[in-house]
Amino acid sequence: MAAAEAKKLSKKRKAAPEEETSAAPPPSAFPQEVRLEMASEDEGEDGDASSDDGEVDEFPEIDARSDTEDEEEEGEDDESEEEDEEDEDEDEDESDASDESLHVWPKPKTVVSDITGQPKRVYPDIEPDYDSDSSTEDTPNRVGNIPMHWYDDLPHVGYDINGKKVLRPARGDELDKFLKTVEDPESWTSAFDKNMQMDKPLTAEELDIIRRLQENENPDANYDPYEPTVEWFTGKGKEEIMPLSAAPEPKRRWVPSKWEKQKVMKIVRAIRQGRIVPNKPKTASAQPQFYAIWNEEPSTGPAPPPAPKPRLPGHAESYNPPEEYLPTPEERAQWEATDPEDREREFLPQKYSALRLVPAYDNFIKERFNRQLDLYLAPRVQRTKLRIDPDSLIPKLPSPSSLRPFPVYKSLQVPHADVRVRAISVSPDGAWAVSGDESGVVRLWEVIVGKEVKRWTFKSKIGAVEWCPRTDVSFFAVGVEDHIHFIIPPNLPGPVLTATQNILAPANLPPPPANPSPVKWSSVPAAQSSSDTPILTLNLPSSPEPPKQLVWHRKGDYLASVSEGQGGVWIHQVSRRHSQAPFKKVKGTVQLVLFHPTKPHFFVATQRYVRMYNLAEQTLLKTLTPGIRWISSMDVHPSGDHLIVGG
């Protein structure tokens, strides 16, 4: 009924004569008459508003019915529609056009339900348009990001966009999978989709990413590892100027404080007037002063615990102990080889035939002294001990998964054919590595790719290799037999190669030192040098083994070498071509040496001690005892405040 009344009202509005439009217009919301014209893009500039012919656009009909109305109202609407069918024929075309333009959703179809027997509306399936921005149009399963094991016991794996079940596809056993890989050549290029429970082929881009990851390459195909470096702070006008402060220096820096002057004068006047008496010097009395440390006021609490009682002697302390207490020769040798603090007993049981044959006890004075210490340090006040669980004092360590990322697999491995590598060193820029083995072969490796670039062969085994820490030059030192060879790697830029040759083989050699050294320097002219042979060689004094360590100073001018034997420590200066032995005699066998990064200090490690010397003053500063029986490695922090020792 409501729909019929709405249609009748629309007819009355259509049948209204034009004189109604000519009647007095309703009052406008604007104080003055507004004459605005809005022309479309197809109309010309001279177009006017007369194209409307003065007609008022039809207002679209509104269906006020709800979806829950009874079917009885539909019957009444049908009767009213039959009565007014003739009057609506003339306006049918216009209303259909307007309804079709406003109808957004698809029209439903009324059918009778098989369950309730009542009519119901059934809408057609939704099909996304071609311009839909949904990223899951090709995914029939629309369950979203949920655990798929929820559907393990069900015949379906989810629901589509219309709410219908997506059945689980049939999957064969392992034999079917194997036969599929044999018959279908494209089965190797597919991956299992958990959402659809089936195999989907991979695209060419995804296969290319997998290939790059297997070959330890960058997944991005457009990545260029050799792109030129952008110099942000190099060049004229790009220098980074960062002053600490540009404020002028305050006046109080050089003008004496008047307030301090007044304060000092006030104290001086008080001393002169006698209001402030300085402390009299204390004169030591000739008589000694004693304090009774045991005479304290009686305490109402419980008595303090007594001093620990000495252990009573047993069969082992007897002068005639049983045979099972006497040590065997192996036990005696083991007891003597053990450190005194690690021994189970301070003495070995001995047997004598008579008491008069027992000699004086060697540790008698020591044991009496320790007993007096027990009595002297016995507590005179009872203190309550804290009952703390030792496990609560240990901090809880985080799980390893929360500490990621950290290295968990081997990144690069280069082969060294069946020989032991004795030394390795990495260039300052980290792009090159040099290694030496027992067969006398020195190899130059490119770190990123792991390719062997160059190889040098010597007559005997390699003792040590070390790369110069300077960044403006590039060369490394190799210790072989009684020689130290300086080698320039190949493929260096022109300026770096020239600077390196000028340092190792200058045109004008420095004057010889006043005190000649037994170490001889021999070099090849820069014009005749090549990357196949050493450009500079140092001939050390004879030694049974090659140099076991080479270490550079931070500035790259001083090189220290350690060889076997007494006086095997040498310090070589490249700029002056001079070598000197800083120690005439060293206690113990020198294992390692090290330069301090900022100070003229020199660390020398023997088997159990680390001594620090001042090279400028030629004095011993301190001796460090790390508590290691055999020191095998040592390094210093770049700040120079910490030293780490391993053994």
Side-chain angles (χ1 to χ4, degrees):
M1 297 295 292
E5 292 177 0
K7 291 183 179 180
K8 291 179 181 180
L9 291 175
S10 64
K11 292 177 189 176
K12 293 179 181 180
R13 283 198 297 269
K14 294 177 184 177
E18 294 183 359
E19 52 267 13
E20 291 184 3
T21 59
S22 62
S28 175
F30 298 93
Q32 298 179 1
E33 185 179 1
V34 180
R35 298 181 179 274
L36 299 178
E37 298 179 0
M38 182 177 294
S40 63
E41 296 178 357
D42 298 335
E43 296 175 354
E45 296 178 357
D46 300 333
D48 52 6
S50 62
S51 61
D52 296 339
D53 298 333
E55 295 182 1
V56 181
D57 293 341
E58 270 191 13
F59 191 84
E61 295 183 3
I62 301 176
D63 189 1
R65 292 178 300 172
S66 64
D67 296 340
T68 61
E69 287 184 347
D70 300 335
E71 297 297 332
E72 297 178 358
E73 296 181 359
E74 294 183 0
E76 296 176 359
D77 294 344
D78 295 341
E79 295 176 0
S80 61
E81 288 177 0
E82 292 176 358
E83 294 175 358
D84 302 334
E85 185 176 356
E86 297 177 357
D87 298 337
E88 295 177 357
D89 290 342
E90 56 186 8
D91 302 331
E92 195 173 18
D93 299 336
E94 298 178 0
S95 62
D96 292 344
S98 62
D99 292 343
E100 291 178 359
S101 62
L102 295 175
H103 203 287
V104 179
W105 303 102
K107 295 181 179 180
K109 182 180 179 181
T110 304
V111 297
V112 179
S113 175
D114 297 337
I115 301 175
T116 61
Q118 300 294 333
K120 65 176 182 179
R121 296 177 182 179
V122 179
Y123 289 86
D125 294 343
I126 299 175
E127 297 182 1
D129 297 334
Y130 68 93
D131 57 348
S132 174
D133 58 350
S134 176
S135 61
T136 60
E137 291 178 3
D138 57 342
T139 306
N141 193 1
R142 299 301 183 92
V143 294
N145 187 14
I146 64 172
M148 295 306 298
H149 64 81
W150 293 353
Y151 295 93
D152 289 348
D153 300 334
L154 300 177
H156 60 282
V157 294
Y159 302 89
D160 59 3
I161 193 173
N162 297 310
K164 297 181 180 180
K165 297 180 180 180
V166 178
L167 298 180
R168 185 185 305 274
R171 294 181 58 84
D173 54 2
E174 297 297 330
L175 182 58
D176 295 336
K177 294 181 182 179
F178 174 73
L179 295 177
K180 186 177 179 181
T181 57
V182 174
E183 297 172 357
D184 188 5
E186 296 183 358
S187 62
W188 298 98
T189 61
S190 61
F192 181 71
D193 186 4
K194 293 183 179 180
N195 197 5
M196 293 302 300
Q197 296 292 320
M198 60 185 300
D199 294 336
K200 282 192 174 182
L202 300 177
T203 61
E205 292 79 4
E206 295 172 343
L207 291 175
D208 184 63
I209 292 175
I210 295 175
R211 180 189 61 80
R212 290 176 175 274
L213 291 176
Q214 289 179 346
E215 296 179 359
N216 294 333
E217 296 181 1
N218 195 293
D220 189 3
N222 300 326
Y223 174 73
D224 184 13
Y226 303 104
E227 60 183 2
T229 305
V230 179
E231 301 292 346
W232 297 102
F233 304 104
T234 305
K236 186 176 181 181
K238 296 183 181 180
E239 294 82 7
E240 191 174 7
I241 302 175
M242 300 172 62
L244 295 178
S245 175
E249 190 174 2
K251 189 177 181 180
R252 62 177 179 272
R253 296 282 178 85
W254 66 86
V255 176
S257 176
K258 295 182 179 179
W259 181 86
E260 292 181 357
K261 179 181 179 181
Q262 295 176 0
K263 194 70 175 177
V264 171
M265 291 305 300
K266 182 178 180 181
I267 296 174
V268 170
R269 285 194 296 269
I271 293 175
R272 291 176 179 176
Q273 295 174 3
R275 291 185 287 107
I276 296 179
V277 179
N279 295 331
K280 296 181 179 179
K282 296 181 180 180
T283 58
S285 59
Q287 298 180 356
Q289 298 180 0
F290 301 96
Y291 301 93
I293 60 177
W294 295 94
N295 294 340
E296 295 181 356
E297 296 181 0
S299 176
T300 57
K309 295 182 179 180
R311 186 175 61 89
L312 298 177
H315 294 287
E317 286 82 356
S318 174
Y319 73 94
N320 189 12
E323 295 294 333
E324 59 267 22
Y325 285 89
L326 296 177
T328 61
E330 292 80 10
E331 294 177 351
R332 181 180 296 273
Q334 182 180 2
W335 182 84
E336 293 176 354
T338 307
D339 295 335
E341 59 270 14
D342 298 335
R343 293 173 180 172
E344 185 178 358
R345 297 176 179 175
E346 296 292 335
F347 63 94
L348 285 178
Q350 298 181 9
K351 189 172 184 178
Y352 300 95
S353 59
L355 183 60
R356 64 179 180 276
L357 301 178
V358 177
Y361 184 44
D362 297 335
N363 297 330
F364 177 79
I365 297 178
K366 181 179 179 181
E367 289 186 358
R368 292 299 93 193
F369 178 77
N370 292 335
R371 177 59 182 168
Q372 295 298 327
L373 288 180
D374 293 341
L375 297 175
Y376 173 74
L377 299 177
R380 297 183 300 276
V381 179
Q382 187 177 9
R383 300 183 183 275
T384 305
K385 293 184 179 181
L386 299 178
R387 299 183 179 274
I388 301 176
D389 186 11
D391 296 335
S392 63
L393 302 177
I394 302 176
K396 295 183 179 180
L397 299 178
S399 61
S401 59
S402 63
L403 300 177
R404 292 180 182 271
F406 52 82
V408 294
Y409 63 93
K410 188 190 305 179
S411 176
L412 182 64
Q413 181 178 0
V414 294
H416 241 274
D418 299 335
V419 290
R420 181 183 298 176
V421 178
R422 297 181 58 89
I424 188 172
S425 180
V426 183
S427 62
D429 56 356
W432 306 93
V434 60
S435 63
D437 54 23
E438 289 185 348
S439 62
V441 178
V442 176
R443 292 178 172 88
L444 180 65
W445 305 89
E446 206 278 332
V447 174
I448 298 178
V449 182
K451 177 183 178 182
E452 180 180 348
V453 180
K454 187 71 176 176
R455 179 182 295 187
W456 295 269
T457 304
F458 297 91
K459 296 181 180 180
S460 63
K461 61 182 180 181
I462 306 300
V465 293
E466 191 67 25
W467 210 290
C468 181
R470 295 179 57 175
T471 57
D472 56 341
V473 297
S474 181
F475 65 95
F476 57 91
V478 181
V480 183
E481 292 182 342
D482 298 334
H483 309 284
I484 299 178
H485 303 286
F486 294 81
I487 301 175
I488 301 176
N491 305 326
L492 292 181
V496 178
L497 178 60
T498 304
T500 306
Q501 291 177 348
N502 293 337
I503 292 176
L504 298 179
N508 298 325
L509 298 178
N515 299 326
S517 173
V519 179
K520 304 300 180 183
W521 296 62
S522 60
S523 60
V524 179
Q528 302 177 5
S529 63
S530 64
S531 60
D532 299 332
T533 58
I535 189 174
L536 178 62
T537 302
L538 275 67
N539 299 320
L540 302 176
S542 61
S543 176
E545 294 290 335
K548 59 183 179 181
Q549 187 195 15
L550 297 176
V551 59
W552 286 93
H553 188 262
R554 180 178 58 88
K555 296 183 178 180
D557 190 23
Y558 290 90
L559 174 67
S561 63
V562 179
S563 302
E564 294 289 340
Q566 190 70 21
V569 180
W570 291 88
I571 298 179
H572 316 279
Q573 187 177 3
V574 179
S575 59
R576 293 180 53 196
R577 287 177 169 258
H578 178 59
S579 303
Q580 56 182 347
F583 313 109
K584 295 182 180 179
K585 186 178 180 180
V586 180
K587 296 181 180 179
T589 304
V590 178
Q591 303 293 328
L592 302 168
V593 296
L594 203 62
F595 286 100
H596 194 279
T598 57
K599 299 179 181 179
H601 296 168
F602 193 66
F603 297 93
V604 179
T606 57
Q607 292 183 359
R608 294 192 178 185
Y609 303 98
V610 178
R611 295 179 175 88
M612 186 171 63
Y613 296 89
N614 190 333
L615 296 179
E617 300 177 359
Q618 298 182 2
T619 56
L620 174 63
L621 297 180
K622 60 182 67 176
T623 301
L624 308 178
T625 307
I628 301 175
R629 294 189 177 183
W630 194 292
I631 298 176
S632 61
S633 59
M634 178 176 60
D635 199 1
V636 65
H637 192 268
S639 63
D641 297 335
H642 307 282
L643 182 71
I644 182 171
V645 180

